[in-house]
Amino acid sequence: MTPREASQASLEFGGPLGVTVMLVLLPATMFHLLLVVRSGPARLLGPPTYLPGLEELWSPQALLLLFIWLGLQVALYLLPARKVAEGLELKDKSRLRYPINGFQALVLTALLVGLGVSAGLPLGALSEMLLPLAFATTLTSFIFSLLLYVKALAAPVSALAPGGNSGNSIYDFFLGRELNPRLGSFDFKYFCELRPGLIGWVFINLALLIQEAELRGSPSLAMWLVNAFQLLYVGDALWYEESVLTTMDIIHDGFGFMLAFGDLAWVPFTYSLQAQFLLYHPQPLGLPMALLICLIKVIGYYIFRGANSQKNTFRKNPSDPSVAGLETIPTATGRQLLVSGWWGMVRHPNYLGDLIMALAWSLPCGVSHLLPYFYVLYFTALLVHREARDEQQCLRKYGHAWQEYCKRVPYRIIPYVY
Ligand SMILES: NC(=O)C1=CN([C@@H]2O[C@H](COP(=O)(O)OP(=O)(O)OC[C@H]3O[C@@H](n4cnc5c(N)ncnc54)[C@H](OP(=O)(O)O)[C@@H]3O)[C@@H](O)[C@H]2O)C=CC1
Ligand SMILES: CC(C)CCC[C@@H](C)[C@H]1CC=C2C3=C(CC[C@@]21C)[C@@]1(C)CC[C@H](O)C[C@@H]1CC3
């Protein structure tokens, strides 16, 4: 089988038809959420109360703001890093190098925004610009993905992603042909995965908090919780930035529309849905309920961080004292699979923790509406699908040892349920 035949034999996401639907459905869903969240009924499944005209969507100021933001994040990415990490070995046996300075970028952005706000920058007004900003970001992601696709046409075969090289242009545009598109040492996929969208999400949340304080005198307890929980999540991702180098997005998926739009537009504009909801639909939250929600968040984070750190430590140094006593299964690749500790409980304990945290982000919005629970629903679907993709890759990589692991640890994400 040629590489192209092999790639076509295992098309993901429903093949060309599936990705065509997603190309339309993903931006449409994002705009639907942005519109319904500000409407009175705020119904997830109902139609928006009005459809905006082009004059409400298109704003040169929003585009300028987006470019200033992207420029700032590029500049922070290029600053000297505390560490430069090596990625996994590529097909041509080389390894790429990545700066580890994401947390530094978050702190420096916070300092700059703080200075701006104290000099009179109206950050709260950002909440009024979300629709045109989302429009500008969607257009930019689309054009950016086209450029990536064209760039990939000239890339050597060894630089192509295993899945985005089917020969069907829509499919390859969506999934991404090239695995690690770069300009010099600037890595587009790594940059986009952790910087503009993820950090942007935190500042959109903050703008919504400031706007709520301006409207109602002070931010609500619910708004504080959502801001704090999601800041912890983003801070954690940037603090442990190096571990993103072993995710399937970096080692397996190409960089196309799915990740470009997902990273730049989907994350900041849909992941901030709870804070948007609270601005337009204030929710009373008593202290006992707030404490219970904090407990749920702490449990989720404990599982999420414990599982991720255990695997990362084990992969880096299996004889580290914190993991040396864990039971393992040897594989033909020379690597081992953990079969006790967090990874002996279910096959994806980190997803379980992440889902519990997702619930804790939505609960401050009360139970009167389904809309703030969109993230929980979407994220469950994303993780179930991601888990299935990861299983296939592990089965290919580890064969019999993976089957043995599945026998020993029969549940995927939720013990005794799934
Ligand atoms: N908020 C969001 O939108 C999203 C968040 N996430 C989060 O990002 C984090 C990373 O997730 P993801 O990239 O999907 O993958 P994981 O961190 O779960 O990594 C999966 C890999 O771990 C290794 N592995 C699996 N089982 C074992 C075992 N028993 N022992 C040792 N190694 C094992 C395998 O790779 P190998 O053997 O090659 O090391 C496998 O491919 C998760 O916490 C997830 O919840 C992910 C997607 C979206
Ligand atoms: C729009 C589509 C439906 C799918 C887009 C998927 C992307 C939004 C996600 C793919 C993998 C991601 C990861 C993270 C954020 C979301 C995306 C980019 C994290 C950075 C979130 C924080 C975690 O600690 C690490 C995650 C790695 C994967």
Side-chain angles (χ1 to χ4, degrees):
M1 229 194 252
T2 65
R4 173 153 298 172
E5 281 164 349
S7 170
Q8 280 179 333
S10 54
L11 294 186
E12 298 179 289
F13 298 97
L17 186 63
V19 304
T20 309
V21 172
M22 282 174 81
L23 261 173
V24 178
L25 206 62
L26 288 172
T29 305
M30 184 183 79
F31 284 105
H32 173 76
L33 295 172
L34 283 166
L35 287 172
V36 290
V37 73
R38 62 189 65 201
S39 69
R43 282 207 309 263
L44 175 60
L45 298 173
T49 42
Y50 81 104
L51 285 180
L54 192 60
E55 67 292 343
E56 212 179 319
L57 291 172
W58 169 246
S59 145
Q61 288 96 319
L63 189 66
L64 181 67
L65 184 61
L66 171 67
F67 280 13
I68 292 174
W69 177 254
L70 292 174
L72 170 68
Q73 293 308 320
V74 170
L76 295 174
Y77 176 93
L78 295 174
L79 284 181
R82 71 182 149 99
K83 181 175 175 189
V84 176
E86 282 202 330
L88 295 185
E89 194 177 88
L90 301 173
K91 268 190 227 154
D92 65 1
K93 304 286 171 212
S94 66
R95 284 175 194 269
L96 295 173
R97 290 162 63 77
Y98 299 88
I100 304 296
N101 60 5
F103 193 78
Q104 172 184 312
L106 175 67
V107 173
L108 289 176
T109 308
L111 281 175
L112 287 173
V113 172
L115 277 177
V117 170
S118 55
L121 183 85
L123 183 60
L126 189 66
S127 61
E128 310 283 324
M129 285 183 77
L130 291 186
L131 212 50
L133 257 181
F135 189 68
T137 314
T138 305
L139 274 185
T140 305
S141 313
F142 194 81
I143 295 169
F144 181 40
S145 318
L146 269 180
L147 294 174
L148 288 169
Y149 180 77
V150 173
K151 176 182 179 312
L153 293 177
V157 174
S158 63
L160 300 183
N165 172 28
S166 70
N168 180 296
S169 31
I170 294 193
Y171 184 83
D172 295 348
F173 166 79
F174 184 81
L175 251 84
R177 272 174 66 83
E178 198 174 347
L179 185 59
N180 302 299
R182 286 187 158 208
L183 204 58
S185 63
F186 187 88
D187 191 298
F188 291 111
K189 185 167 62 169
Y190 175 67
F191 168 74
C192 289
E193 178 116 353
L194 284 170
R195 311 297 176 96
L198 216 57
I199 299 179
W201 169 23
V202 166
F203 288 96
I204 289 178
N205 274 350
L206 180 63
L208 293 158
L209 182 144
I210 292 175
Q211 185 74 352
E212 194 192 38
E214 279 167 14
L215 281 176
R216 304 198 182 96
S218 64
S220 61
L221 180 55
M223 183 68 99
W224 276 119
L225 289 191
V226 168
N227 264 261
F229 291 169
Q230 298 184 349
L231 172 64
L232 171 69
Y233 190 68
V234 173
D236 175 277
L238 294 167
W239 185 261
Y240 294 99
E241 188 177 21
E242 201 174 334
S243 56
V244 91
L245 297 178
T246 53
T247 58
M248 74 172 81
D249 315 270
I250 300 289
I251 58 179
H252 178 270
D253 294 341
F255 193 36
F257 182 81
M258 181 179 78
L259 280 181
F261 173 78
D263 295 343
L264 299 177
W266 183 262
V267 167
F269 298 107
T270 66
Y271 285 27
S272 60
L273 191 67
Q274 288 96 353
Q276 294 180 47
F277 177 83
L278 289 172
L279 177 65
Y280 298 107
H281 309 275
Q283 299 292 318
L285 180 65
L287 202 57
M289 184 48 103
L291 288 174
L292 180 65
I293 295 173
C294 286
L295 181 68
I296 296 175
K297 169 74 188 180
V298 169
I299 294 172
Y301 183 70
Y302 179 70
I303 300 175
F304 167 84
R305 182 54 23 235
N308 277 326
S309 291
Q310 192 168 71
K311 174 165 69 72
N312 294 340
T313 308
F314 181 72
R315 279 284 174 251
K316 265 195 205 149
N317 176 16
S319 39
D320 185 287
S322 65
V323 291
L326 295 174
E327 208 184 327
T328 58
I329 298 180
T331 76
T333 64
R335 285 178 143 204
Q336 297 185 315
L337 291 168
L338 287 167
V339 75
S340 67
W342 288 115
W343 298 80
M345 188 172 82
V346 281
R347 299 207 290 273
H348 265 102
N350 48 353
Y351 290 3
L352 175 65
D354 221 338
L355 280 170
I356 296 174
M357 287 196 288
L359 183 66
W361 299 352
S362 303
L363 284 170
C365 301
V367 287
S368 57
H369 290 75
L370 183 60
L371 187 62
Y373 292 83
F374 169 78
Y375 180 75
V376 179
L377 300 175
Y378 140 81
F379 198 43
T380 305
L382 179 124
L383 290 183
V384 165
H385 180 247
R386 201 172 163 91
E387 196 274 338
R389 291 179 79 207
D390 189 52
E391 290 264 316
Q392 278 181 4
Q393 287 169 28
C394 286
L395 188 60
R396 263 199 301 272
K397 246 185 312 189
Y398 300 125
H400 178 68
W402 185 258
Q403 287 169 329
E404 171 65 21
Y405 176 52
C406 294
K407 238 189 260 157
R408 297 271 302 268
V409 184
Y411 291 99
R412 295 162 193 265
I413 301 179
I414 306 177
Y416 305 106
V417 177
Y418 177 74

